[in-house]
Structure formats: C-alpha cells, structure tokens
Amino acid sequence: MKDLVKKALEEMVKEERAIYLEEKKDTKANGYYERNLGTPIGILENLEVARTRDGGFSSTLLPYRKRYLVEVGELVEALFHSGLSTRKISKVL
C-alpha cells in the first residue's frame, strides 16, 4: 500500500510541475529531491519531489517543511482546486 501511495504522490507532483511549466515558459524541470513523509499508513521514505530550475515551483500537495500528509479526501480536493482535472486525479489514484 505504501508503494502505491508513494507512486501516486510522485505522479501528482509531476503533474503539478507540468502545469507550472506550462505557465512559466522561461524555466525548465530540474529533477527531484528526496524527502520522507508521514502518512496515516506509515512513513513514506525517499519520496521524489519534483523541482524546477528557477526554484519557483512549490507543490500544493507536499508543502515545504510539512512532514505529515493530510487525509486522501483533502488531498483530492487540493488537487482539484490546484487545477488538475478529475480525469487526471482518477487516473493517478
């Protein structure tokens, strides 16, 4: 279960970065950094969080320095409000 949640979060953050890059044509993707995240199902270790060259991208799903993830319902709501379509959210979940 942890692996599925980890992969889903990584994919959702990649989608967030893709939306950011569409809006900001003057920057590019710049790999990932790793972090640990506490969830209701346990700690997700070495979670890959996408970043950009300009350092301006900040994930709404994984706020900077926040060590514990919200419930899944809140996560889906945050994704929807950040601009991801319901089709993309359901595909990732």
Short mmCIF file of all heavy atoms in Angstrom, two decimals, residues 17-71:
data_model
loop_
_atom_site.label_atom_id
_atom_site.label_comp_id
_atom_site.label_asym_id
_atom_site.label_seq_id
_atom_site.Cartn_x
_atom_site.Cartn_y
_atom_site.Cartn_z
N ARG A 17 3.93 20.05 -11.44
CA ARG A 17 5.08 20.73 -12.04
C ARG A 17 4.83 20.97 -13.53
O ARG A 17 5.20 22.02 -14.06
CB ARG A 17 6.36 19.92 -11.84
CG ARG A 17 7.57 20.61 -12.46
CD ARG A 17 8.84 19.87 -12.28
NE ARG A 17 8.81 18.59 -12.97
CZ ARG A 17 9.82 17.72 -12.97
NH1 ARG A 17 10.93 18.00 -12.31
NH2 ARG A 17 9.72 16.59 -13.62
N ALA A 18 4.21 20.02 -14.21
CA ALA A 18 3.92 20.19 -15.64
C ALA A 18 3.01 21.40 -15.86
O ALA A 18 3.22 22.19 -16.79
CB ALA A 18 3.28 18.93 -16.20
N ILE A 19 2.02 21.57 -15.00
CA ILE A 19 1.13 22.72 -15.10
C ILE A 19 1.92 24.01 -14.85
O ILE A 19 1.76 25.00 -15.56
CB ILE A 19 -0.05 22.59 -14.11
CG1 ILE A 19 -0.96 21.45 -14.55
CG2 ILE A 19 -0.82 23.90 -13.99
CD1 ILE A 19 -2.00 21.05 -13.52
N TYR A 20 2.79 23.99 -13.85
CA TYR A 20 3.64 25.15 -13.55
C TYR A 20 4.51 25.50 -14.75
O TYR A 20 4.64 26.66 -15.12
CB TYR A 20 4.50 24.85 -12.32
CG TYR A 20 5.46 25.96 -11.97
CD1 TYR A 20 5.05 27.04 -11.20
CD2 TYR A 20 6.79 25.92 -12.39
CE1 TYR A 20 5.93 28.06 -10.86
CE2 TYR A 20 7.67 26.94 -12.06
CZ TYR A 20 7.24 28.00 -11.31
OH TYR A 20 8.11 29.01 -10.98
N LEU A 21 5.10 24.48 -15.39
CA LEU A 21 5.99 24.72 -16.53
C LEU A 21 5.24 25.25 -17.75
O LEU A 21 5.80 25.99 -18.55
CB LEU A 21 6.76 23.44 -16.88
CG LEU A 21 7.79 23.00 -15.85
CD1 LEU A 21 8.38 21.65 -16.22
CD2 LEU A 21 8.89 24.04 -15.68
N GLU A 22 3.96 24.86 -17.89
CA GLU A 22 3.16 25.39 -18.98
C GLU A 22 2.92 26.89 -18.79
O GLU A 22 2.90 27.65 -19.75
CB GLU A 22 1.81 24.67 -19.07
CG GLU A 22 1.91 23.27 -19.63
CD GLU A 22 0.58 22.54 -19.61
OE1 GLU A 22 -0.46 23.18 -19.34
OE2 GLU A 22 0.59 21.33 -19.84
N GLU A 23 2.75 27.30 -17.54
CA GLU A 23 2.51 28.70 -17.23
C GLU A 23 3.79 29.53 -17.28
O GLU A 23 3.77 30.69 -17.64
CB GLU A 23 1.87 28.84 -15.85
CG GLU A 23 0.48 28.23 -15.77
CD GLU A 23 -0.05 28.17 -14.35
OE1 GLU A 23 0.67 28.57 -13.41
OE2 GLU A 23 -1.19 27.72 -14.19
N LYS A 24 4.90 28.94 -16.88
CA LYS A 24 6.19 29.63 -16.81
C LYS A 24 7.11 29.09 -17.90
O LYS A 24 7.87 28.17 -17.68
CB LYS A 24 6.85 29.41 -15.44
CG LYS A 24 5.99 29.72 -14.26
CD LYS A 24 5.92 31.21 -14.03
CE LYS A 24 5.14 31.46 -12.77
NZ LYS A 24 4.98 32.83 -12.46
N LYS A 25 7.03 29.67 -19.07
CA LYS A 25 7.80 29.19 -20.22
C LYS A 25 9.29 29.45 -20.09
O LYS A 25 10.09 28.87 -20.80
CB LYS A 25 7.29 29.84 -21.51
CG LYS A 25 5.83 29.58 -21.78
CD LYS A 25 5.60 28.18 -22.23
CE LYS A 25 4.14 27.99 -22.61
NZ LYS A 25 3.79 26.65 -22.91
N ASP A 26 9.71 30.33 -19.17
CA ASP A 26 11.11 30.71 -19.06
C ASP A 26 11.93 29.79 -18.15
O ASP A 26 13.11 30.04 -17.93
CB ASP A 26 11.23 32.15 -18.57
CG ASP A 26 10.54 32.37 -17.23
OD1 ASP A 26 9.57 31.65 -16.93
OD2 ASP A 26 10.98 33.26 -16.48
N THR A 27 11.34 28.72 -17.63
CA THR A 27 12.08 27.79 -16.78
C THR A 27 11.89 26.37 -17.27
O THR A 27 11.08 26.11 -18.15
CB THR A 27 11.66 27.93 -15.30
OG1 THR A 27 12.56 27.19 -14.49
CG2 THR A 27 10.25 27.44 -15.08
N LYS A 28 12.65 25.48 -16.69
CA LYS A 28 12.59 24.06 -17.08
C LYS A 28 12.58 23.18 -15.83
O LYS A 28 12.88 23.62 -14.74
CB LYS A 28 13.80 23.72 -17.93
CG LYS A 28 13.91 24.54 -19.20
CD LYS A 28 14.54 23.75 -20.29
CE LYS A 28 14.70 24.58 -21.53
NZ LYS A 28 13.52 24.74 -22.30
N ALA A 29 12.26 21.91 -16.04
CA ALA A 29 12.30 20.94 -14.95
C ALA A 29 13.76 20.73 -14.54
O ALA A 29 14.67 20.89 -15.35
CB ALA A 29 11.69 19.62 -15.40
N ASN A 30 13.96 20.38 -13.28
CA ASN A 30 15.31 20.18 -12.78
C ASN A 30 15.38 18.99 -11.83
O ASN A 30 15.87 19.10 -10.71
CB ASN A 30 15.79 21.46 -12.07
CG ASN A 30 17.27 21.41 -11.75
OD1 ASN A 30 18.04 20.75 -12.44
ND2 ASN A 30 17.67 22.10 -10.70
N GLY A 31 14.86 17.87 -12.26
CA GLY A 31 14.98 16.65 -11.47
C GLY A 31 14.12 16.64 -10.23
O GLY A 31 13.03 17.19 -10.20
N TYR A 32 14.65 16.02 -9.19
CA TYR A 32 13.89 15.78 -7.97
C TYR A 32 14.79 15.92 -6.76
O TYR A 32 15.99 15.84 -6.85
CB TYR A 32 13.34 14.34 -7.98
CG TYR A 32 12.57 14.02 -9.23
CD1 TYR A 32 13.20 13.46 -10.34
CD2 TYR A 32 11.22 14.30 -9.31
CE1 TYR A 32 12.49 13.19 -11.49
CE2 TYR A 32 10.51 14.04 -10.46
CZ TYR A 32 11.14 13.48 -11.54
OH TYR A 32 10.43 13.23 -12.68
N TYR A 33 14.15 16.10 -5.61
CA TYR A 33 14.85 15.95 -4.34
C TYR A 33 14.06 14.94 -3.52
O TYR A 33 12.88 14.70 -3.79
CB TYR A 33 15.01 17.29 -3.60
CG TYR A 33 13.74 17.92 -3.09
CD1 TYR A 33 13.28 17.65 -1.81
CD2 TYR A 33 13.01 18.79 -3.88
CE1 TYR A 33 12.12 18.24 -1.33
CE2 TYR A 33 11.85 19.38 -3.41
CZ TYR A 33 11.41 19.10 -2.14
OH TYR A 33 10.26 19.67 -1.67
N GLU A 34 14.73 14.30 -2.59
CA GLU A 34 14.08 13.25 -1.81
C GLU A 34 13.73 13.76 -0.42
O GLU A 34 14.45 14.58 0.15
CB GLU A 34 14.98 12.03 -1.69
CG GLU A 34 15.16 11.30 -2.99
CD GLU A 34 15.97 10.03 -2.85
OE1 GLU A 34 16.54 9.79 -1.77
OE2 GLU A 34 16.03 9.28 -3.82
N ARG A 35 12.61 13.26 0.09
CA ARG A 35 12.20 13.59 1.45
C ARG A 35 11.35 12.45 2.01
O ARG A 35 10.86 11.62 1.26
CB ARG A 35 11.43 14.90 1.50
CG ARG A 35 10.10 14.84 0.78
CD ARG A 35 9.37 16.13 0.81
NE ARG A 35 8.63 16.27 2.06
CZ ARG A 35 7.71 17.18 2.26
NH1 ARG A 35 7.43 18.05 1.32
NH2 ARG A 35 7.07 17.25 3.40
N ASN A 36 11.20 12.42 3.30
CA ASN A 36 10.34 11.46 3.97
C ASN A 36 9.04 12.16 4.35
O ASN A 36 9.03 13.36 4.60
CB ASN A 36 11.01 10.90 5.22
CG ASN A 36 12.26 10.11 4.88
OD1 ASN A 36 12.40 9.57 3.79
ND2 ASN A 36 13.19 10.06 5.79
N LEU A 37 7.96 11.40 4.38
CA LEU A 37 6.66 11.98 4.67
C LEU A 37 5.84 11.02 5.50
O LEU A 37 5.67 9.85 5.12
CB LEU A 37 5.93 12.30 3.35
CG LEU A 37 4.57 12.95 3.47
CD1 LEU A 37 4.71 14.37 4.00
CD2 LEU A 37 3.89 12.96 2.12
N GLY A 38 5.32 11.49 6.60
CA GLY A 38 4.44 10.69 7.43
C GLY A 38 3.03 10.71 6.86
O GLY A 38 2.54 11.74 6.44
N THR A 39 2.39 9.56 6.83
CA THR A 39 1.02 9.44 6.35
C THR A 39 0.24 8.58 7.33
O THR A 39 0.83 7.94 8.21
CB THR A 39 0.98 8.75 4.96
OG1 THR A 39 1.38 7.40 5.09
CG2 THR A 39 1.86 9.47 3.95
N PRO A 40 -1.08 8.53 7.18
CA PRO A 40 -1.87 7.65 8.06
C PRO A 40 -1.49 6.17 7.93
O PRO A 40 -1.77 5.39 8.83
CB PRO A 40 -3.30 7.89 7.61
CG PRO A 40 -3.29 9.26 7.03
CD PRO A 40 -1.94 9.39 6.39
N ILE A 41 -0.83 5.79 6.83
CA ILE A 41 -0.43 4.38 6.66
C ILE A 41 1.03 4.14 6.98
O ILE A 41 1.53 3.04 6.77
CB ILE A 41 -0.75 3.89 5.22
CG1 ILE A 41 0.01 4.71 4.18
CG2 ILE A 41 -2.23 3.89 4.96
CD1 ILE A 41 -0.05 4.14 2.79
N GLY A 42 1.73 5.14 7.47
CA GLY A 42 3.14 4.99 7.83
C GLY A 42 4.01 6.01 7.12
O GLY A 42 3.53 6.83 6.33
N ILE A 43 5.30 5.94 7.36
CA ILE A 43 6.25 6.89 6.77
C ILE A 43 6.63 6.43 5.36
O ILE A 43 7.01 5.29 5.15
CB ILE A 43 7.51 7.01 7.64
CG1 ILE A 43 7.15 7.62 9.00
CG2 ILE A 43 8.57 7.86 6.96
CD1 ILE A 43 8.29 7.68 9.97
N LEU A 44 6.52 7.36 4.41
CA LEU A 44 6.97 7.11 3.04
C LEU A 44 8.40 7.64 2.95
O LEU A 44 8.63 8.84 3.12
CB LEU A 44 6.08 7.84 2.03
CG LEU A 44 4.60 7.49 2.05
CD1 LEU A 44 3.86 8.33 1.03
CD2 LEU A 44 4.39 6.02 1.80
N GLU A 45 9.33 6.75 2.72
CA GLU A 45 10.73 7.15 2.67
C GLU A 45 11.19 7.39 1.25
O GLU A 45 10.74 6.74 0.32
CB GLU A 45 11.59 6.08 3.34
CG GLU A 45 11.30 5.91 4.82
CD GLU A 45 12.15 4.85 5.47
OE1 GLU A 45 12.82 4.07 4.76
OE2 GLU A 45 12.14 4.81 6.71
N ASN A 46 12.11 8.34 1.09
CA ASN A 46 12.72 8.69 -0.19
C ASN A 46 11.69 9.04 -1.26
O ASN A 46 11.80 8.63 -2.41
CB ASN A 46 13.62 7.55 -0.68
CG ASN A 46 14.71 7.22 0.32
OD1 ASN A 46 15.28 8.11 0.94
ND2 ASN A 46 14.98 5.95 0.50
N LEU A 47 10.71 9.82 -0.87
CA LEU A 47 9.71 10.31 -1.80
C LEU A 47 10.37 11.32 -2.73
O LEU A 47 11.00 12.27 -2.27
CB LEU A 47 8.58 10.96 -1.00
CG LEU A 47 7.37 11.46 -1.76
CD1 LEU A 47 6.61 10.28 -2.36
CD2 LEU A 47 6.48 12.25 -0.84
N GLU A 48 10.25 11.13 -4.04
CA GLU A 48 10.86 12.04 -5.01
C GLU A 48 9.91 13.20 -5.29
O GLU A 48 8.82 13.01 -5.79
CB GLU A 48 11.17 11.31 -6.31
CG GLU A 48 12.29 10.30 -6.18
CD GLU A 48 12.65 9.66 -7.50
OE1 GLU A 48 11.90 9.79 -8.50
OE2 GLU A 48 13.70 9.00 -7.54
N VAL A 49 10.35 14.41 -4.96
CA VAL A 49 9.56 15.62 -5.16
C VAL A 49 10.17 16.41 -6.31
O VAL A 49 11.36 16.74 -6.28
CB VAL A 49 9.53 16.47 -3.86
CG1 VAL A 49 8.68 17.72 -4.07
CG2 VAL A 49 9.01 15.65 -2.69
N ALA A 50 9.35 16.70 -7.31
CA ALA A 50 9.82 17.42 -8.49
C ALA A 50 10.21 18.85 -8.15
O ALA A 50 9.68 19.46 -7.23
CB ALA A 50 8.72 17.42 -9.55
N ARG A 51 11.19 19.38 -8.92
CA ARG A 51 11.61 20.77 -8.74
C ARG A 51 11.89 21.39 -10.10
O ARG A 51 11.95 20.71 -11.12
CB ARG A 51 12.83 20.85 -7.84
CG ARG A 51 14.05 20.15 -8.40
CD ARG A 51 15.20 20.21 -7.42
NE ARG A 51 16.31 19.44 -7.95
CZ ARG A 51 17.32 19.04 -7.24
NH1 ARG A 51 17.39 19.31 -5.96
NH2 ARG A 51 18.29 18.34 -7.79
N THR A 52 12.07 22.72 -10.12
CA THR A 52 12.37 23.45 -11.35
C THR A 52 13.67 24.21 -11.19
O THR A 52 14.15 24.42 -10.08
CB THR A 52 11.23 24.45 -11.68
OG1 THR A 52 11.08 25.35 -10.59
CG2 THR A 52 9.92 23.73 -11.96
N ARG A 53 14.21 24.64 -12.32
CA ARG A 53 15.49 25.37 -12.29
C ARG A 53 15.39 26.70 -11.57
O ARG A 53 16.32 27.11 -10.89
CB ARG A 53 16.00 25.60 -13.71
CG ARG A 53 16.53 24.35 -14.34
CD ARG A 53 17.18 24.66 -15.66
NE ARG A 53 17.60 23.41 -16.28
CZ ARG A 53 18.03 23.31 -17.51
NH1 ARG A 53 18.10 24.38 -18.27
NH2 ARG A 53 18.39 22.14 -17.99
N ASP A 54 14.28 27.38 -11.74
CA ASP A 54 14.15 28.70 -11.11
C ASP A 54 13.82 28.62 -9.62
O ASP A 54 13.84 29.61 -8.91
CB ASP A 54 13.11 29.56 -11.82
CG ASP A 54 11.68 29.05 -11.66
OD1 ASP A 54 11.46 27.98 -11.07
OD2 ASP A 54 10.77 29.74 -12.16
N GLY A 55 13.49 27.41 -9.12
CA GLY A 55 13.18 27.23 -7.72
C GLY A 55 11.83 27.80 -7.33
O GLY A 55 11.47 27.84 -6.15
N GLY A 56 11.04 28.20 -8.29
CA GLY A 56 9.74 28.81 -8.01
C GLY A 56 8.61 27.84 -7.82
O GLY A 56 7.55 28.21 -7.31
N PHE A 57 8.80 26.60 -8.21
CA PHE A 57 7.72 25.61 -8.08
C PHE A 57 7.60 25.13 -6.64
O PHE A 57 8.59 24.77 -6.00
CB PHE A 57 7.99 24.41 -8.99
CG PHE A 57 7.05 23.26 -8.75
CD1 PHE A 57 5.72 23.37 -9.09
CD2 PHE A 57 7.49 22.10 -8.17
CE1 PHE A 57 4.84 22.32 -8.86
CE2 PHE A 57 6.64 21.04 -7.93
CZ PHE A 57 5.31 21.15 -8.29
N SER A 58 6.38 25.14 -6.14
CA SER A 58 6.09 24.63 -4.81
C SER A 58 4.82 23.81 -4.90
O SER A 58 3.78 24.31 -5.34
CB SER A 58 5.91 25.79 -3.83
OG SER A 58 5.58 25.30 -2.57
N SER A 59 4.89 22.58 -4.51
CA SER A 59 3.75 21.68 -4.59
C SER A 59 2.69 22.04 -3.55
O SER A 59 3.01 22.29 -2.39
CB SER A 59 4.22 20.24 -4.36
OG SER A 59 3.10 19.37 -4.26
N THR A 60 1.44 22.05 -3.97
CA THR A 60 0.35 22.27 -3.00
C THR A 60 0.06 20.99 -2.24
O THR A 60 -0.50 21.03 -1.15
CB THR A 60 -0.93 22.75 -3.70
OG1 THR A 60 -1.31 21.81 -4.68
CG2 THR A 60 -0.72 24.12 -4.32
N LEU A 61 0.44 19.85 -2.81
CA LEU A 61 0.22 18.57 -2.14
C LEU A 61 1.22 18.32 -1.03
O LEU A 61 0.88 17.74 0.00
CB LEU A 61 0.35 17.42 -3.15
CG LEU A 61 -0.63 17.43 -4.29
CD1 LEU A 61 -0.26 16.35 -5.29
CD2 LEU A 61 -2.02 17.21 -3.76
N LEU A 62 2.45 18.71 -1.27
CA LEU A 62 3.52 18.47 -0.31
C LEU A 62 4.18 19.80 0.04
O LEU A 62 5.26 20.11 -0.43
CB LEU A 62 4.57 17.53 -0.92
CG LEU A 62 4.05 16.18 -1.41
CD1 LEU A 62 5.15 15.43 -2.14
CD2 LEU A 62 3.53 15.38 -0.25
N PRO A 63 3.54 20.60 0.86
CA PRO A 63 4.10 21.91 1.22
C PRO A 63 5.49 21.77 1.83
O PRO A 63 5.79 20.80 2.51
CB PRO A 63 3.12 22.48 2.24
CG PRO A 63 1.86 21.72 2.02
CD PRO A 63 2.27 20.37 1.52
N TYR A 64 6.31 22.76 1.58
CA TYR A 64 7.68 22.78 2.07
C TYR A 64 7.71 22.64 3.59
O TYR A 64 6.96 23.31 4.29
CB TYR A 64 8.35 24.09 1.63
CG TYR A 64 9.80 24.17 1.96
CD1 TYR A 64 10.71 23.33 1.34
CD2 TYR A 64 10.27 25.09 2.88
CE1 TYR A 64 12.06 23.40 1.64
CE2 TYR A 64 11.61 25.17 3.19
CZ TYR A 64 12.51 24.32 2.56
OH TYR A 64 13.84 24.39 2.86
N ARG A 65 8.54 21.77 4.08
CA ARG A 65 8.77 21.50 5.50
C ARG A 65 7.61 20.84 6.23
O ARG A 65 7.66 20.64 7.42
CB ARG A 65 9.18 22.76 6.25
CG ARG A 65 10.51 23.29 5.80
CD ARG A 65 10.95 24.40 6.70
NE ARG A 65 12.19 24.97 6.24
CZ ARG A 65 13.32 24.92 6.90
NH1 ARG A 65 13.37 24.34 8.06
NH2 ARG A 65 14.40 25.45 6.40
N LYS A 66 6.54 20.52 5.55
CA LYS A 66 5.45 19.81 6.20
C LYS A 66 5.80 18.33 6.20
O LYS A 66 6.09 17.75 5.17
CB LYS A 66 4.13 20.06 5.48
CG LYS A 66 2.95 19.50 6.23
CD LYS A 66 1.66 19.99 5.65
CE LYS A 66 0.52 19.46 6.48
NZ LYS A 66 -0.76 19.88 5.95
N ARG A 67 5.76 17.72 7.34
CA ARG A 67 6.22 16.34 7.49
C ARG A 67 5.11 15.31 7.54
O ARG A 67 5.38 14.12 7.58
CB ARG A 67 7.05 16.20 8.77
CG ARG A 67 8.31 17.01 8.74
CD ARG A 67 9.32 16.36 7.88
NE ARG A 67 10.53 17.14 7.84
CZ ARG A 67 11.36 17.11 6.84
NH1 ARG A 67 11.12 16.35 5.81
NH2 ARG A 67 12.45 17.84 6.87
N TYR A 68 3.85 15.75 7.54
CA TYR A 68 2.75 14.80 7.64
C TYR A 68 1.70 15.14 6.60
O TYR A 68 1.33 16.30 6.43
CB TYR A 68 2.14 14.82 9.04
CG TYR A 68 1.28 13.62 9.32
CD1 TYR A 68 1.87 12.41 9.68
CD2 TYR A 68 -0.09 13.67 9.19
CE1 TYR A 68 1.10 11.30 9.91
CE2 TYR A 68 -0.86 12.55 9.42
CZ TYR A 68 -0.27 11.37 9.79
OH TYR A 68 -1.04 10.26 10.00
N LEU A 69 1.21 14.14 5.91
CA LEU A 69 0.26 14.32 4.82
C LEU A 69 -1.18 14.34 5.33
O LEU A 69 -1.52 13.62 6.25
CB LEU A 69 0.41 13.18 3.81
CG LEU A 69 -0.45 13.23 2.56
CD1 LEU A 69 -0.06 14.44 1.72
CD2 LEU A 69 -0.28 11.98 1.75
N VAL A 70 -2.01 15.14 4.69
CA VAL A 70 -3.43 15.22 5.01
C VAL A 70 -4.15 13.95 4.56
O VAL A 70 -3.59 13.12 3.84
CB VAL A 70 -4.08 16.44 4.35
CG1 VAL A 70 -3.49 17.72 4.88
CG2 VAL A 70 -3.96 16.37 2.85
N GLU A 71 -5.39 13.80 4.95
CA GLU A 71 -6.20 12.66 4.54
C GLU A 71 -6.39 12.67 3.02
O GLU A 71 -6.31 13.71 2.37
CB GLU A 71 -7.56 12.71 5.23
CG GLU A 71 -7.48 12.55 6.73
CD GLU A 71 -7.00 11.18 7.15
OE1 GLU A 71 -7.33 10.17 6.49
OE2 GLU A 71 -6.27 11.10 8.15
#
